[in-house]
mmCIF file of all heavy atoms in Angstrom:
data_model
loop_
_atom_site.group_PDB
_atom_site.id
_atom_site.type_symbol
_atom_site.label_atom_id
_atom_site.label_comp_id
_atom_site.label_asym_id
_atom_site.label_seq_id
_atom_site.Cartn_x
_atom_site.Cartn_y
_atom_site.Cartn_z
ATOM 1 N N ARG Q 2 115.941 104.929 110.040
ATOM 2 C CA ARG Q 2 115.383 104.275 108.851
ATOM 3 C C ARG Q 2 113.852 104.217 108.899
ATOM 4 O O ARG Q 2 113.201 104.314 107.864
ATOM 5 C CB ARG Q 2 115.918 102.849 108.723
ATOM 6 C CG ARG Q 2 117.421 102.763 108.599
ATOM 7 C CD ARG Q 2 117.883 101.343 108.264
ATOM 8 N NE ARG Q 2 117.541 100.380 109.305
ATOM 9 C CZ ARG Q 2 116.815 99.291 109.107
ATOM 10 N NH1 ARG Q 2 116.326 99.016 107.897
ATOM 11 N NH2 ARG Q 2 116.558 98.452 110.109
ATOM 12 N N PHE Q 3 113.290 104.064 110.066
ATOM 13 C CA PHE Q 3 111.841 103.941 110.225
ATOM 14 C C PHE Q 3 111.287 105.204 110.871
ATOM 15 O O PHE Q 3 111.935 105.814 111.726
ATOM 16 C CB PHE Q 3 111.484 102.751 111.112
ATOM 17 C CG PHE Q 3 111.743 101.390 110.514
ATOM 18 C CD1 PHE Q 3 112.482 101.223 109.353
ATOM 19 C CD2 PHE Q 3 111.250 100.247 111.141
ATOM 20 C CE1 PHE Q 3 112.727 99.973 108.811
ATOM 21 C CE2 PHE Q 3 111.482 98.990 110.624
ATOM 22 C CZ PHE Q 3 112.228 98.857 109.450
ATOM 23 N N THR Q 4 110.070 105.557 110.483
ATOM 24 C CA THR Q 4 109.390 106.705 111.076
ATOM 25 C C THR Q 4 107.950 106.325 111.382
ATOM 26 O O THR Q 4 107.227 105.853 110.516
ATOM 27 C CB THR Q 4 109.399 107.911 110.129
ATOM 28 O OG1 THR Q 4 110.746 108.242 109.794
ATOM 29 C CG2 THR Q 4 108.736 109.116 110.793
ATOM 30 N N ILE Q 5 107.559 106.539 112.631
ATOM 31 C CA ILE Q 5 106.186 106.274 113.037
ATOM 32 C C ILE Q 5 105.409 107.587 113.062
ATOM 33 O O ILE Q 5 105.960 108.640 113.412
ATOM 34 C CB ILE Q 5 106.142 105.572 114.419
ATOM 35 C CG1 ILE Q 5 104.755 105.018 114.712
ATOM 36 C CG2 ILE Q 5 106.641 106.488 115.526
ATOM 37 C CD1 ILE Q 5 104.713 104.108 115.936
ATOM 38 N N SER Q 6 104.142 107.522 112.682
ATOM 39 C CA SER Q 6 103.293 108.711 112.721
ATOM 40 C C SER Q 6 101.851 108.261 112.919
ATOM 41 O O SER Q 6 101.536 107.070 112.796
ATOM 42 C CB SER Q 6 103.435 109.514 111.421
ATOM 43 O OG SER Q 6 103.008 108.744 110.304
ATOM 44 N N ARG Q 7 101.009 109.221 113.237
ATOM 45 C CA ARG Q 7 99.603 108.874 113.436
ATOM 46 C C ARG Q 7 98.716 109.978 112.898
ATOM 47 O O ARG Q 7 99.091 111.157 112.906
ATOM 48 C CB ARG Q 7 99.305 108.607 114.906
ATOM 49 C CG ARG Q 7 99.444 109.779 115.845
ATOM 50 C CD ARG Q 7 99.359 109.300 117.301
ATOM 51 N NE ARG Q 7 98.086 108.641 117.579
ATOM 52 C CZ ARG Q 7 97.920 107.744 118.551
ATOM 53 N NH1 ARG Q 7 98.934 107.405 119.334
ATOM 54 N NH2 ARG Q 7 96.737 107.193 118.742
ATOM 55 N N ASP Q 8 97.544 109.570 112.439
ATOM 56 C CA ASP Q 8 96.521 110.499 111.997
ATOM 57 C C ASP Q 8 95.265 110.110 112.762
ATOM 58 O O ASP Q 8 94.530 109.210 112.352
ATOM 59 C CB ASP Q 8 96.318 110.385 110.486
ATOM 60 C CG ASP Q 8 95.359 111.413 109.931
ATOM 61 O OD1 ASP Q 8 94.561 111.964 110.725
ATOM 62 O OD2 ASP Q 8 95.386 111.669 108.724
ATOM 63 N N ASN Q 9 95.032 110.769 113.866
ATOM 64 C CA ASN Q 9 93.897 110.408 114.716
ATOM 65 C C ASN Q 9 92.564 110.646 114.006
ATOM 66 O O ASN Q 9 91.574 109.962 114.291
ATOM 67 C CB ASN Q 9 93.952 111.163 116.033
ATOM 68 C CG ASN Q 9 95.014 110.597 116.976
ATOM 69 O OD1 ASN Q 9 95.534 109.495 116.764
ATOM 70 N ND2 ASN Q 9 95.351 111.354 118.006
ATOM 71 N N ALA Q 10 92.528 111.594 113.096
ATOM 72 C CA ALA Q 10 91.296 111.845 112.346
ATOM 73 C C ALA Q 10 90.932 110.646 111.478
ATOM 74 O O ALA Q 10 89.745 110.381 111.228
ATOM 75 C CB ALA Q 10 91.445 113.083 111.492
ATOM 76 N N LYS Q 11 91.958 109.921 111.021
ATOM 77 C CA LYS Q 11 91.726 108.728 110.212
ATOM 78 C C LYS Q 11 91.787 107.449 111.049
ATOM 79 O O LYS Q 11 91.665 106.356 110.515
ATOM 80 C CB LYS Q 11 92.750 108.655 109.074
ATOM 81 C CG LYS Q 11 92.604 109.767 108.054
ATOM 82 C CD LYS Q 11 93.597 109.578 106.905
ATOM 83 C CE LYS Q 11 93.411 110.666 105.848
ATOM 84 N NZ LYS Q 11 94.356 110.510 104.717
ATOM 85 N N ASN Q 12 92.024 107.643 112.359
ATOM 86 C CA ASN Q 12 92.083 106.484 113.262
ATOM 87 C C ASN Q 12 93.126 105.476 112.792
ATOM 88 O O ASN Q 12 92.920 104.257 112.869
ATOM 89 C CB ASN Q 12 90.709 105.811 113.359
ATOM 90 C CG ASN Q 12 90.349 105.418 114.775
ATOM 91 O OD1 ASN Q 12 90.848 105.988 115.738
ATOM 92 N ND2 ASN Q 12 89.469 104.440 114.902
ATOM 93 N N THR Q 13 94.268 106.001 112.359
ATOM 94 C CA THR Q 13 95.292 105.160 111.744
ATOM 95 C C THR Q 13 96.683 105.594 112.195
ATOM 96 O O THR Q 13 96.943 106.787 112.380
ATOM 97 C CB THR Q 13 95.211 105.231 110.209
ATOM 98 O OG1 THR Q 13 93.903 104.820 109.789
ATOM 99 C CG2 THR Q 13 96.241 104.323 109.559
ATOM 100 N N VAL Q 14 97.543 104.610 112.371
ATOM 101 C CA VAL Q 14 98.956 104.842 112.676
ATOM 102 C C VAL Q 14 99.770 104.220 111.548
ATOM 103 O O VAL Q 14 99.413 103.168 111.019
ATOM 104 C CB VAL Q 14 99.331 104.238 114.035
ATOM 105 C CG1 VAL Q 14 100.829 104.328 114.284
ATOM 106 C CG2 VAL Q 14 98.568 104.935 115.154
ATOM 107 N N TYR Q 15 100.873 104.874 111.210
ATOM 108 C CA TYR Q 15 101.705 104.443 110.099
ATOM 109 C C TYR Q 15 103.123 104.132 110.568
ATOM 110 O O TYR Q 15 103.606 104.697 111.552
ATOM 111 C CB TYR Q 15 101.774 105.538 109.034
ATOM 112 C CG TYR Q 15 100.432 105.991 108.542
ATOM 113 C CD1 TYR Q 15 99.828 107.138 109.063
ATOM 114 C CD2 TYR Q 15 99.746 105.276 107.558
ATOM 115 C CE1 TYR Q 15 98.587 107.565 108.616
ATOM 116 C CE2 TYR Q 15 98.507 105.685 107.113
ATOM 117 C CZ TYR Q 15 97.927 106.832 107.647
ATOM 118 O OH TYR Q 15 96.696 107.245 107.208
ATOM 119 N N LEU Q 16 103.761 103.257 109.817
ATOM 120 C CA LEU Q 16 105.185 103.010 110.012
ATOM 121 C C LEU Q 16 105.845 103.064 108.643
ATOM 122 O O LEU Q 16 105.653 102.160 107.821
ATOM 123 C CB LEU Q 16 105.434 101.651 110.673
ATOM 124 C CG LEU Q 16 106.899 101.361 111.007
ATOM 125 C CD1 LEU Q 16 107.390 102.285 112.137
ATOM 126 C CD2 LEU Q 16 107.093 99.894 111.418
ATOM 127 N N GLN Q 17 106.577 104.145 108.400
ATOM 128 C CA GLN Q 17 107.328 104.293 107.156
ATOM 129 C C GLN Q 17 108.673 103.616 107.338
ATOM 130 O O GLN Q 17 109.428 103.985 108.247
ATOM 131 C CB GLN Q 17 107.507 105.763 106.811
ATOM 132 C CG GLN Q 17 108.328 106.014 105.561
ATOM 133 C CD GLN Q 17 107.638 105.532 104.293
ATOM 134 O OE1 GLN Q 17 106.436 105.754 104.115
ATOM 135 N NE2 GLN Q 17 108.380 104.884 103.411
ATOM 136 N N MET Q 18 108.969 102.657 106.482
ATOM 137 C CA MET Q 18 110.200 101.894 106.602
ATOM 138 C C MET Q 18 111.048 102.114 105.358
ATOM 139 O O MET Q 18 110.630 101.746 104.255
ATOM 140 C CB MET Q 18 109.886 100.400 106.775
ATOM 141 C CG MET Q 18 108.930 100.112 107.926
ATOM 142 S SD MET Q 18 108.723 98.352 108.243
ATOM 143 C CE MET Q 18 107.985 97.809 106.713
ATOM 144 N N ASN Q 19 112.194 102.712 105.540
ATOM 145 C CA ASN Q 19 113.113 102.987 104.437
ATOM 146 C C ASN Q 19 114.407 102.200 104.636
ATOM 147 O O ASN Q 19 114.688 101.709 105.723
ATOM 148 C CB ASN Q 19 113.428 104.477 104.367
ATOM 149 C CG ASN Q 19 112.201 105.322 104.106
ATOM 150 O OD1 ASN Q 19 111.262 104.904 103.432
ATOM 151 N ND2 ASN Q 19 112.202 106.536 104.644
ATOM 152 N N SER Q 20 115.185 102.112 103.567
ATOM 153 C CA SER Q 20 116.482 101.424 103.618
ATOM 154 C C SER Q 20 116.344 100.049 104.250
ATOM 155 O O SER Q 20 117.129 99.671 105.134
ATOM 156 C CB SER Q 20 117.494 102.272 104.391
ATOM 157 O OG SER Q 20 117.645 103.548 103.807
ATOM 158 N N LEU Q 21 115.370 99.315 103.794
ATOM 159 C CA LEU Q 21 115.087 98.019 104.399
ATOM 160 C C LEU Q 21 116.226 97.030 104.174
ATOM 161 O O LEU Q 21 116.894 97.046 103.135
ATOM 162 C CB LEU Q 21 113.777 97.459 103.849
ATOM 163 C CG LEU Q 21 112.527 98.110 104.447
ATOM 164 C CD1 LEU Q 21 111.314 97.882 103.572
ATOM 165 C CD2 LEU Q 21 112.282 97.581 105.852
ATOM 166 N N LYS Q 22 116.413 96.186 105.177
ATOM 167 C CA LYS Q 22 117.474 95.181 105.167
ATOM 168 C C LYS Q 22 116.856 93.784 105.291
ATOM 169 O O LYS Q 22 115.748 93.646 105.831
ATOM 170 C CB LYS Q 22 118.410 95.412 106.350
ATOM 171 C CG LYS Q 22 119.019 96.798 106.425
ATOM 172 C CD LYS Q 22 119.836 96.960 107.697
ATOM 173 C CE LYS Q 22 120.434 98.350 107.806
ATOM 174 N NZ LYS Q 22 121.238 98.518 109.058
ATOM 175 N N PRO Q 23 117.547 92.766 104.854
ATOM 176 C CA PRO Q 23 117.015 91.407 105.012
ATOM 177 C C PRO Q 23 116.660 91.072 106.453
ATOM 178 O O PRO Q 23 115.688 90.344 106.698
ATOM 179 C CB PRO Q 23 118.165 90.532 104.494
ATOM 180 C CG PRO Q 23 118.854 91.383 103.481
ATOM 181 C CD PRO Q 23 118.778 92.780 104.051
ATOM 182 N N GLU Q 24 117.394 91.612 107.401
ATOM 183 C CA GLU Q 24 117.099 91.330 108.802
ATOM 184 C C GLU Q 24 115.833 92.014 109.305
ATOM 185 O O GLU Q 24 115.410 91.772 110.439
ATOM 186 C CB GLU Q 24 118.287 91.710 109.698
ATOM 187 C CG GLU Q 24 118.823 93.107 109.482
ATOM 188 C CD GLU Q 24 120.023 93.135 108.551
ATOM 189 O OE1 GLU Q 24 119.988 92.444 107.499
ATOM 190 O OE2 GLU Q 24 120.987 93.870 108.871
ATOM 191 N N ASP Q 25 115.222 92.851 108.483
ATOM 192 C CA ASP Q 25 113.921 93.433 108.841
ATOM 193 C C ASP Q 25 112.775 92.484 108.505
ATOM 194 O O ASP Q 25 111.618 92.770 108.849
ATOM 195 C CB ASP Q 25 113.702 94.757 108.107
ATOM 196 C CG ASP Q 25 114.675 95.839 108.534
ATOM 197 O OD1 ASP Q 25 114.936 95.960 109.750
ATOM 198 O OD2 ASP Q 25 115.182 96.558 107.650
ATOM 199 N N THR Q 26 113.077 91.395 107.848
ATOM 200 C CA THR Q 26 112.048 90.427 107.496
ATOM 201 C C THR Q 26 111.386 89.854 108.747
ATOM 202 O O THR Q 26 112.060 89.351 109.640
ATOM 203 C CB THR Q 26 112.654 89.282 106.662
ATOM 204 O OG1 THR Q 26 113.127 89.810 105.421
ATOM 205 C CG2 THR Q 26 111.628 88.194 106.391
ATOM 206 N N ALA Q 27 110.064 89.971 108.794
ATOM 207 C CA ALA Q 27 109.306 89.517 109.963
ATOM 208 C C ALA Q 27 107.825 89.756 109.721
ATOM 209 O O ALA Q 27 107.441 90.427 108.754
ATOM 210 C CB ALA Q 27 109.742 90.269 111.215
ATOM 211 N N VAL Q 28 107.016 89.236 110.610
ATOM 212 C CA VAL Q 28 105.611 89.635 110.673
ATOM 213 C C VAL Q 28 105.547 90.857 111.591
ATOM 214 O O VAL Q 28 106.067 90.823 112.710
ATOM 215 C CB VAL Q 28 104.715 88.507 111.206
ATOM 216 C CG1 VAL Q 28 103.270 88.995 111.324
ATOM 217 C CG2 VAL Q 28 104.804 87.287 110.303
#
């Protein structure tokens, strides 16, 4: 459901979260 990726040129890391569920609720 989740995919992590990074773009070092942008100095940024991403977390794509799909099919989210209520139990994913968090900080």
Side-chain angles (χ1 to χ4, degrees):
R2 300 189 298 123
F3 290 12
T4 303
I5 193 170
S6 62
R7 65 190 300 155
D8 185 340
N9 285 346
K11 294 184 178 180
N12 223 24
T13 302
V14 173
Y15 305 97
L16 184 69
Q17 178 67 44
M18 306 187 297
N19 298 328
S20 302
L21 283 161
K22 304 175 181 180
E24 51 263 44
D25 294 318
T26 296
V28 177

